Amino acid sequence: MKTVDDLDVQGKKVLVRTDLNVPLKDGVITDDGRIRASLPTIRKLVDKGARVVVVAHLGRPKGEPKPEFSLAPVAVRLGELLGRDVVFATDTVGESAKAAVASLEDGQVALLENLRFAAAETSKDDAERGAFADELAALADVYVGDGFGAVHRKHASVYDVPKRLPHAAGGLIATEVDVLKKLTEDVARPYAVVLGGSKVSDKLGVIDNLLETADRILIGGGMLFTFLKAQGHEVGKSLLEEDQIPTVLEYLERAKAKGVEFVLPVDVVAATAFSADAEHDVVPADAIPADRLGLDIGPESGKLFASRLADAKTVFWNGPMGVFEMEPYSHGTRAVAQGLLDSDAFTVVGGGDSAAAVRTLGFDENAFSHISTGGGASLEYLEGKTLPGLEALED
Ligand code: ADP
Ligand code: MG
């Protein structure tokens, strides 16, 4: 895979696919980690005298312009962080984008509007996607792929544009791939994996492959209830994916046969409603009341998890242990984050919300070996899948 260092971009228009999919609340960016993660590659291109055309998506506008998914606030923040003007185009391949690109001088930066305002960006139809990719490619001379959070998507800006232009990987993708290799080849052991979050069925798949590589798998977050239910416990109104129970049972069997340790919570914070103000108590994991829902792992589980991380040499963590956005349910996530830091392991945090949790809970992100910007992408890599955005960057 070529990197930006291998490219001569002086005076050239360089289309950079970044991941600027930041959380927004009422038009205000609540965590700018992904913007900051995109800076080194953009800066490098600026320093090399490129005319930098940044493209990205935000949220799921479902193929039409929706003001609440505009990248306009991101353009402002990007400009502040870069310390230079960022020209913002109000469309992606239309008049505004063409004018913005034409206005650039060497070393200047433009950001085009949300790629997903065009249905063709995410289309399953190769021809439709290809036509959009033709228009995007026509804006530039060179393509740089740096949106690690989107490399598992076969989207026009990720997969089809690099097939149409000379291309290279940005520093972010290059780093992410190096880290993922450390989690899959010659792994330092014990290797512990902590899984949580709310996308249960998305995340169960990775366990299939982890049973071949990991020594310990710790389960928290929304998926823990499917495990508890599979073991015959009631889970009240907690998040549950009944249809995944056979899969979970099969994983538990295989883990036993292979000597992989599954670590499940022993206690849970159970609330009367999905709210910070709801009545909530710590209950044993096998005694969740029928009218309650589990919103965090309990304090004993936090200690247990930390103890299973203490002597690990490699830790991969994806998914918060609870609804960390609400203070009463943030303690499990805090305990796991601290557990990673207290170990001597090579520690990798993956997933947009997990990375945001680390930051909003006040941890120093530099204290972790690596914070990945791509949750889904890193999971699919660990699942052993081919990622379209990486495949397209190979020569
Ligand atoms: P990531 O972005 O790190 O991959 P996910 O998107 O899968 O993680 O999940 C993050 C979300 O999971 C958080 O918003 C958190 O509130 C939620 N979550 C964690 N535990 C639970 C739970 N027990 N019930 C419901 N939601 C949960
Ligand atoms: Mg998420």
Side-chain angles (χ1 to χ4, degrees):
M1 207 186 285
K2 277 200 193 119
T3 67
V4 174
D5 297 312
D6 304 317
L7 292 179
D8 173 21
V9 295
Q10 166 65 42
K12 292 192 181 149
K13 290 173 283 181
V14 181
L15 193 80
V16 196
R17 175 48 158 114
T18 54
D19 177 8
L20 302 176
N21 191 22
V22 291
L24 283 170
K25 200 171 183 190
D26 304 324
V28 178
I29 298 164
T30 53
D31 181 68
D32 64 2
R34 282 180 165 162
I35 306 179
R36 284 185 290 120
S38 305
L39 295 176
T41 297
I42 296 173
R43 280 208 184 102
K44 185 172 271 183
L45 290 167
V46 164
D47 291 345
K48 287 176 144 230
R51 303 175 177 206
V52 188
V53 183
V54 182
V55 289
H57 75 277
L58 183 76
R60 298 195 167 171
K62 309 249 164 79
E64 50 183 283
K66 294 208 179 102
E68 66 270 33
F69 293 112
S70 173
L71 279 169
V74 174
V76 173
R77 187 80 189 111
L78 179 62
E80 286 166 6
L81 291 167
L82 280 173
R84 55 175 61 239
D85 286 340
V86 170
V87 182
F88 182 64
T90 55
D91 59 31
T92 313
V93 292
E95 289 315 312
S96 178
K98 285 177 190 149
V101 175
S103 77
L104 292 180
E105 291 175 20
D106 297 357
Q108 290 189 333
V109 181
L111 173 65
L112 310 186
E113 185 52 289
N114 194 340
L115 287 159
R116 292 192 189 167
F117 283 0
E121 163 69 1
T122 59
S123 173
K124 298 240 185 302
D125 182 84
D126 289 348
E128 194 188 349
R129 245 186 16 254
F132 184 59
D134 285 339
E135 291 188 88
L136 278 171
L139 294 171
D141 308 308
V142 178
Y143 173 91
V144 170
D146 209 30
F148 181 71
V151 288
H152 58 313
R153 306 289 186 205
K154 196 174 179 181
H155 292 169
S157 66
V158 175
Y159 179 75
D160 304 276
V161 180
K163 294 197 176 283
R164 288 164 166 75
L165 289 174
H167 51 260
L172 183 61
I173 283 192
T175 306
E176 295 274 7
V177 171
D178 282 347
V179 167
L180 287 167
K181 283 194 174 147
K182 287 201 199 173
L183 299 177
T184 45
E185 298 162 20
D186 299 321
V187 189
R189 297 182 182 281
Y191 174 23
V193 176
V194 192
L195 294 176
S198 55
K199 297 175 192 159
V200 183
S201 39
D202 274 15
K203 295 192 179 188
L204 281 174
V206 75
I207 296 176
D208 195 61
N209 236 36
L210 288 175
L211 286 169
E212 307 298 323
T213 52
D215 302 303
R216 299 173 192 158
I217 303 176
L218 289 61
I219 303 286
M223 75 172 73
L224 81 89
F225 306 101
T226 306
F227 279 80
L228 291 178
K229 183 85 179 178
Q231 292 182 320
H233 307 307
E234 288 311 316
V235 296
K237 296 189 288 175
S238 309
L239 211 64
L240 175 65
E241 300 212 0
E242 295 254 20
D243 56 333
Q244 300 289 341
I245 288 175
T247 311
V248 163
L249 284 172
E250 196 247 324
Y251 288 160
L252 291 168
E253 282 295 309
R254 258 170 65 205
K256 206 179 275 171
K258 290 190 160 287
V260 176
E261 184 190 358
F262 257 108
V263 186
L264 291 174
V266 290
D267 55 357
V268 163
V269 181
T272 51
F274 192 88
S275 152
D277 310 320
E279 208 179 305
H280 57 273
D281 300 285
V282 175
V283 300
D286 59 1
I288 299 174
D291 59 345
R292 297 262 178 137
L293 67 168
L295 294 180
D296 195 11
I297 61 170
E300 287 308 316
S301 308
K303 283 184 208 151
L304 171 68
F305 282 22
S307 77
R308 303 314 290 138
L309 299 174
D311 64 334
K313 287 287 171 289
T314 304
V315 181
F316 173 71
W317 172 29
N318 176 287
M321 296 294 96
V323 183
F324 73 93
E325 298 91 337
M326 303 177 191
E327 200 282 332
Y329 319 118
S330 64
H331 303 275
T333 302
R334 192 181 285 282
V336 162
Q338 192 61 49
L340 260 70
L341 294 182
D342 291 343
S343 74
D344 293 324
F346 176 68
T347 50
V348 181
V349 183
D353 292 289
S354 309
V358 161
R359 285 189 287 266
T360 56
L361 294 177
F363 289 94
D364 172 11
E365 51 185 328
N366 296 314
F368 299 88
S369 307
H370 182 71
I371 299 204
S372 173
T373 47
S378 41
L379 284 174
E380 289 200 14
Y381 188 101
L382 295 180
E383 272 177 60
K385 290 187 181 160
T386 301
L387 307 187
L390 296 183
E391 186 203 317
L393 291 177
E394 302 289 349
D395 284 320

